[in-house]
Amino acid sequence: MSITHMASARRTDIEGLRAIGMALVVICHIWVGKVSGGVDVFFVISAYLMTGSLLKELEKTGTVDLLTFWGRILVRICPTAFLILFLTLIAGLYFQPISLWRAFATHGWMALLQLENLQLLRESTDYLARGQPASPFQQYWALSTQMQFYGFLPIWLLLVSQIARTMRKRADDRRILAIACALIGLASFGFALWILALNPAPHYFNPAARLWEFMAGALCACVAPMVNLSARAASLARTVGLLLILACVWVVPANAAYPGIAALVPVSGAMLILLSGREAVDRSLARRVLEAPLLQRLASLSFAFYLAHWPILIFYQEAAGTTKLNLIQGCLVIALALLLAAALHFLIEKPTKGLMSHGGGYSTGDWRRRSAPFAACAMLAVPSAAFLLAWQQYYGGIARDYAQSYTVRPIAGPIQTMDTVLPPDIDRQLIAAKGMLPRLYTNGCDTGPHSAKVQLCTTGNLDSNAFTILLIGGSHSTQWFPALEQIAKDRNWRLLSITKSACPIDGIYIGPRTAGRQVEACREWARNAVAKAIALKPDLVVTTATRPGPGNVGEVIPEGYARAWRRIVANNIDILAIRDNPRTETYSVPECVDRNREKFRTCDMRRDRHINPPSRLLPVRDMPHLALWDIADLLCGIATCPVMHDGVLVYNDNSHLSVPFVMALRTSLEQEILSQQASSS
C-alpha cells in the first residue's frame, strides 16, 4: 500500500516487498484476525522512498519545495482514495445497518480529512464506543498516518538541514540527518514502549507511537549510499529480511502490544531488504521472489487494492451475516477487490502517473500553478462531503425527532407476554438508539477514563434542604439518570451525580485490555467518590447491586460493593441498590435486531445464563438501610430476557439499557424510591 515514490530509479525488490506486505495484510484481515506486520512494512518503505526523494532535492537545490512535494502527494493520493471513499459511502446505503449511521458518517468524515487514525485512537479510550463493529473506513487509518507523516517530513528535514548549516556542514549532510532520524526514532520507540505499558489497547493507532517506524525508513534512506554490501552479504540480508516479514504472522503473538517490541520483527526485516542494495550480482532466492513478475504486477495495484479490500470485506460480511469467511468467500472478496483496484489503476492511477511524469504543470511556475493540486483535491472531496452532509441531515433529523417526541407506556410489573413483531417505529428507534445517552455524558459530568477527579453535578431542586438523591457508580448506574432526573423534576427533589464509566464503586476497572493509569484512576476515584458521598449526606444513594459473573454467566455481588455500602449506611444514609441488567457483551442489540428483523427474537438472552436464584441476593437484602430493587422480572420472562419489550428497544448497545426503556421503568423506580423514603422516615 506504500504511496508511490518520486525517486528516479525504481527498485523492483521494493515493489515486490510492497506486494508481499499487502498480501499479508489482506490475508490476516480475511482469515487470520491478527497483526500481519504488513502495515509496518508499508510505513518503513514509504518513509524510505519519500526521504530519498527529498534528500535528492536537498542535494540538488539545497532546500525543499514544500508546495511541490505536498502537491505531488495529493495528486497521487486524492483521486483513488476519494473515489474509493465515495464508492464506500454509496455501498453503505445498501449494506450498512441504520443503527450505525452515526458512526458511519463520523468515520467517513475522518477518512476524508485524513484523521481516521486519531478517531480510532479516541474511540479506543471511549468506554461507550467500545464494541462497535469495524467501520468500512477503518483501513484509512494507515493512509491517515502516512499523510500526517508526509506533512511532517519535509519540514523536519528542512529544520535538520538548517541545524547542519549552523554546524558549518552541508545542508544535505546525510550523517547529521541519520543521527537526527535515529534520535527521533529512539524517542518515538521509547514513547511507544511507555504508553503501551500504560494502556496498550488504543495506541496501535497513535501516530507518535508509530513515528519510529517511519524514522527507520528515513534512516535507511540516509545511510543507504554509505552501505556497500558484498553480493553474499546482500543476499543474506535480503533473505533474512524476507523471512522476518513472512514469519511475523506466526511468531508475533496475537495479543502482542503494537507497535512495541513485536513491531521490530517486520520493521527490521524491511530495513534489511532496503539496505541490501540493488546489485544485479545478487541472484538469491529472496531477490528472485521479490522480483517475480506476478508480485510486480500486484505492487502496481497495491494502493488501490489495500483501500478497496476492506469495505468489500465489511459489506460482504454484512450481506453473508458472518464475520468468519471460508476459503471460497475470502477468495471472492480478494477477486472483487483486485478487479476494482485494476479498474482504478488503469482509469485513474496510470493517467495521474503520466501527468506527474511530465511535470504536471503544477511543479513549476508561480504559486498559483503550484497550488493547483490543493484546489483539485478539495474539488475531489466535494462529492463525499456532500454525501456525508446529506446522510447526517437525513438520519440526524430522524434521530432528533424521535428523541423529542417518543412516548412509552410505563412498565410496572413482570413480563407477561413477549413481542412477536417489531413495532411500526422500529426504524426510528434503531436510528436514534446510539445517540440517545444520559446527559451526564455530554455536559462534562461523567469523569473521563484517565481522570480520578470526583465530578459532582446537581440538577432538579438546588435547595440543599430538599430531599436529595445521589447517583453514584459506573455507566450501569449512569443509565438510570434520565429516569431519576425526571422523577426529581416531578417531585421537586434534588439530584446529585458522581459517575465514571467502567468504574463501579468498588474501584475495580472493568474496561477491556487495559492497565496502568486507568486502573489506578478508577481505584482512586472510587475511594474518593464514596468519601464524597458520605460527606454530602444525601437522603438516598442510588447505585448498582450486582455485576455479571465470570464469562458473563450469572451474577456476583462484589465484596467491594458491600464494603462501600457498609461505609455509607454506617453514616445513617439509605441506599437503593439496583440489580444490574443482563448483557449480551458479544453483539450489539440494535445491529442484531436490524440484521434479523424477521427473527429478532434470536437476539434475546437466556434467563438462566444471566439471572441467579433469589437466594444469591441475600447479602443485599439483609443489610440495614439498604433496599434492593430487583428488576429481573421487569427485564426477563420465564425463559428469556427479550431485547424488545412492549414495542421498545431494551438496549442501545451490548450492555446498557436504552433511554426510552429506562423511561418506561421510571414509574417503577419512583415507587421504589418512595417506599425507601417512607421506611426511613
Side-chain angles (χ1 to χ4, degrees), residues 302-347:
S302 61
F303 178 55
F305 181 66
Y306 173 82
L307 291 180
H309 89 279
W310 182 256
I312 291 174
L313 172 62
I314 294 299
F315 292 140
Y316 187 91
Q317 290 175 340
E318 282 289 346
T322 180
T323 57
K324 296 185 180 299
L325 274 58
N326 59 34
L327 181 61
I328 295 176
Q329 291 172 318
C331 289
L332 178 59
V333 168
I334 291 173
L336 291 173
L338 281 173
L339 286 173
L340 178 57
L344 293 174
H345 176 69
F346 287 106
L347 295 176

Side-chain angles (χ1 to χ4, degrees), residues 389-664:
L389 287 172
W391 177 282
Q392 289 178 307
Q393 184 69 22
Y394 176 72
Y395 283 108
I398 294 174
R400 287 190 297 272
D401 179 69
Y402 179 80
Q404 294 167 3
S405 62
Y406 76 90
T407 58
V408 291
R409 291 193 298 268
I411 297 175
I415 292 178
Q416 300 295 331
T417 59
M418 295 286 181
D419 292 16
T420 56
V421 295
L422 292 173
D425 69 343
I426 186 59
D427 280 357
R428 298 173 72 231
Q429 290 195 51
L430 292 172
I431 290 168
K434 291 185 180 296
M436 294 181 67
L437 299 174
R439 282 197 310 115
L440 298 183
Y441 293 120
T442 57
N443 63 6
C445 287
D446 189 67
T447 299
H450 297 283
S451 175
K453 180 181 179 181
V454 175
Q455 184 70 45
L456 175 67
C457 288
T458 306
T459 189
N461 191 335
L462 302 182
D463 186 353
S464 60
N465 294 318
F467 181 78
T468 300
I469 300 173
L470 170 63
L471 177 67
I472 186 172
S475 59
H476 281 254
S477 294
T478 306
Q479 67 185 356
W480 296 103
F481 179 81
L484 289 170
E485 184 179 34
Q486 187 61 49
I487 292 169
K489 179 181 178 181
D490 294 343
R491 293 278 175 177
N492 200 28
W493 291 343
R494 185 168 69 138
L495 175 61
L496 309 177
S497 65
I498 300 175
T499 64
K500 178 177 169 65
S501 290
C503 187
I505 60 171
D506 62 350
I508 304 300
Y509 184 75
I510 58 174
R513 285 196 63 197
T514 189
R517 180 56 192 158
Q518 291 189 52
V519 173
E520 296 168 4
C522 178
R523 189 179 301 116
E524 181 182 349
W525 174 88
R527 183 170 58 250
N528 295 335
V530 172
K532 183 71 171 179
I534 294 171
L536 289 168
K537 295 196 71 69
D539 297 288
L540 180 67
V541 167
V542 177
T543 189
T544 48
T546 58
R547 178 186 294 169
N552 196 29
V553 176
E555 304 164 280
V556 295
I557 302 171
E559 177 55 31
Y561 284 18
R563 283 197 300 269
W565 296 337
R566 285 192 288 267
R567 287 182 59 194
I568 294 171
V569 300
N571 289 271
N572 202 33
I573 300 171
D574 291 335
I575 296 176
L576 177 63
I578 304 175
R579 190 177 193 175
D580 205 2
N581 54 272
R583 313 182 189 191
T584 67
E585 293 294 4
T586 56
Y587 59 91
S588 177
V589 168
E591 284 81 79
C592 184
V593 172
D594 201 2
R595 292 164 176 153
N596 300 278
R597 293 180 176 236
E598 299 301 321
K599 47 181 181 179
F600 67 92
R601 293 292 307 279
T602 59
C603 304
D604 294 349
M605 292 169 277
R606 286 171 37 200
R607 177 172 180 141
D608 61 1
R609 177 181 172 85
H610 298 280
I611 303 298
N612 285 339
S615 60
R616 296 286 296 274
L617 300 178
L618 289 178
V620 188
R621 298 182 189 277
D622 293 344
M623 187 175 293
H625 289 285
L626 189 148
L628 171 70
W629 185 28
D630 189 346
I631 62 173
D633 289 338
L634 298 175
L635 295 173
C636 302
I638 296 174
T640 61
C641 304
V643 295
M644 293 292 306
H645 180 37
D646 203 18
V648 180
L649 189 68
V650 178
Y651 297 86
N652 68 6
D653 57 14
N654 61 358
S655 69
H656 298 93
L657 299 177
S658 70
V659 169
F661 187 76
V662 166
M663 295 304 288

